[in-house]
Structure formats: C-alpha cells, structure tokens
C-alpha cells in the first residue's frame, strides 16, 4: 500500500506537532514536511511532492488562501484541505473557489481529519451539500447577481447531459448515486465530470458545485 504523502502548513508549532502526532501514526499516511507560513509552501511542494496539503487559512505572512491559489495554478498540483476555526467564512469559500478540495475545522476529531485526508487523496471532496450551501449562502448578498451572470455565461458551453451531471454534483451526489439517478454507468458519469472540468477550466467537483450554485442551476432555473 502506497502511503499518502501529507504536507502540514500552520503557523502554530503546537498545532503542527499535534497534527503530525495524530496523522503520522496512521499506517497509510506519511508526513513529508511542515511549513509555518504560506511563503514556504511552493518550495516544500517541489521538494517533497505531497499528495495532500493540510493548510491553515490564517497565517501572519502569506495566508492559506494565497498559498492555495498559487498551488492550484500549478500543473500536477497537490490536493488542498483548508484548516479553519469557522464554519461559514468568506476566506474558506474563496479557497474552495481557488481549488481547495474541502475544509475541516481545527477542533474536528482526529479520526475525521484523517478521513478527510484519505477522501481527498482518493479524489473525493470533503464537503457535505449542507455545509456547501451554508458557505454559499453566507457569501450570497449583493455580489450574487454579478456572479450569476458570469456563471451562466460560463456554463452555457455545457450540453444538456453535462448540465444534469453538474446539477447532481452540486447536490452532493457520488458517482454511483449520479449514475443511478441519471440512468448511466459510473464510467460515463466520470467521463462527463472530466469533460465538465475541462470545458469550464475547473479542477475539482467542489468548484463544479459552486459554479452550478452561482448559475442558479441548483434552484431549477439554470436552463
């Protein structure tokens, strides 16, 4: 079994030590490096080649949002899970829009943080539809009309079947659940998801969900 290569990024040495202790003890996880600031992340990623980066969102130098944006612009970028102390936070939502695969709260039980790392390493997001909706509603407000117009223009390139898959992804469906709902094979769902990501210039399912929300597709008025 190949271990998940994990990079820890947090400005608090005690937090890093605690994460290393509870995550590094898992047989399928290898802590390949630690950073105290976002400015150190890219160099460490080049040197250690992690599969997943567990990233504190608030750091005094380069914050986790900026570091995530920089990482996710790279080819073959590692997956990013954001660490935060708040459920509904504008910076968390911005990190998700930038390509983070999910977030966990700092007071999350160790077993759940470990499960999140494993899910992301396997290519699955770690956000429930409820949490995603709370985040998006938190950021709705006056900017929604502007985002909706832009999102509808972007999603206009999708064909009808791709739109159906995008809506199902936005509602939190797994590949198997989407396949059952839309009467297609899991392999076909994966193909549609890959095409949606390519057409829209996105890099994970969380971004599909956010864009589908912005376009109004989850309200039944996106067509």
């Amino acid at each position: 079994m190949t271990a998940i290569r994990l990079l820890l990024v947090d400005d608090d040495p005690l937090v890093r030590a605690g994460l290393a202790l509870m995550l590094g003890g898992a047989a399928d996880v290898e802590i390949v490096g630690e950073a105290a600031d976002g400015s150190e992340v890219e160099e460490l990623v080049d040197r250690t080649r992690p599969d997943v980066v567990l990233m504190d969102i608030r750091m005094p130098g380069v914050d986790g949002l900026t570091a995530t944006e920089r990482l996710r612009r790279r080819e073959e970028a590692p997956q990013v899970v954001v660490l935060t102390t708040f459920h509904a936070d504008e910076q968390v939502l911005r990190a998700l829009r930038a390509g983070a695969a999910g977030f966990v709260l700092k007071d999350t039980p160790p077993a759940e943080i470990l499960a999140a790392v494993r899910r992301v390493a396997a290519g699955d997001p770690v956000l429930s539809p409820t949490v995603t909706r709370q985040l998006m509603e938190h950021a709705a407000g006056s900017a929604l009309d502007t985002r909706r117009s832009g999102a509808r223009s972007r999603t206009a390139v999708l064909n009808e079947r791709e739109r159906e898959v995008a809506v199902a992804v936005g509602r939190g469906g797994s590949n198997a659940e989407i396949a059952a709902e839309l009467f297609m094979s899991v392999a076909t769902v994966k193909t549609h998801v890959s095409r949606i990501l390519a057409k829209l210039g996105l890099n994970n399912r969380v971004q599909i969900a956010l864009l589908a929300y912005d376009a109004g597709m989850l309200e039944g008025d996106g067509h």
Side-chain angles (χ1 to χ4, degrees), residues 15-198:
V15 171
R16 293 199 310 274
L19 289 170
L21 182 64
M22 56 186 194
L23 299 177
D28 59 341
V29 174
E30 177 187 359
I31 308 298
V32 296
E34 298 181 17
D37 186 80
S39 63
E40 306 169 25
V41 171
E42 288 191 277
E43 187 274 331
L44 267 175
V45 165
D46 287 338
R47 183 151 48 87
T48 64
R49 299 294 178 184
D51 301 305
V52 179
V53 179
L54 198 54
M55 180 94 72
D56 185 16
I57 204 164
R58 285 182 170 81
M59 291 177 284
V62 175
D63 63 23
L65 171 61
T66 302
T68 298
E69 289 173 336
R70 290 175 180 174
L71 274 186
R72 296 304 298 172
R73 285 196 294 262
R74 297 160 57 110
E75 291 186 10
E76 299 183 3
Q79 297 295 334
V80 177
V81 178
V82 172
L83 274 171
T84 181
T85 54
F86 300 98
H87 279 279
D89 182 272
E90 178 66 26
Q91 283 190 300
V92 173
L93 187 56
R94 285 177 62 194
L96 296 174
R97 291 188 188 282
F103 77 94
V104 292
L105 299 178
K106 287 193 174 183
D107 60 359
T108 298
E112 292 182 24
I113 296 179
L114 180 58
V117 169
R118 287 171 173 154
R119 281 180 59 86
V120 166
D124 296 322
V126 293
L127 286 179
S128 70
T130 300
V131 172
T132 305
R133 187 164 55 250
Q134 288 173 347
L135 278 167
M136 292 186 292
E137 288 173 352
H138 172 75
S142 59
L144 180 58
D145 288 343
T146 301
R147 291 203 313 273
R148 177 149 297 181
S149 176
R152 284 182 168 170
S153 295
R154 290 182 67 186
T155 56
V157 301
L158 302 179
N159 63 37
E160 190 67 21
R161 203 56 162 161
E162 290 164 348
R163 293 177 71 84
E164 292 174 345
V165 173
V167 168
V169 169
R171 290 174 178 158
S174 66
N175 286 338
E177 290 167 341
I178 296 171
E181 177 187 344
L182 299 180
F183 304 102
M184 59 177 69
S185 69
V186 171
T188 301
V189 173
K190 291 179 179 179
T191 298
H192 281 307
V193 170
S194 296
R195 287 176 179 166
I196 292 167
L197 292 171

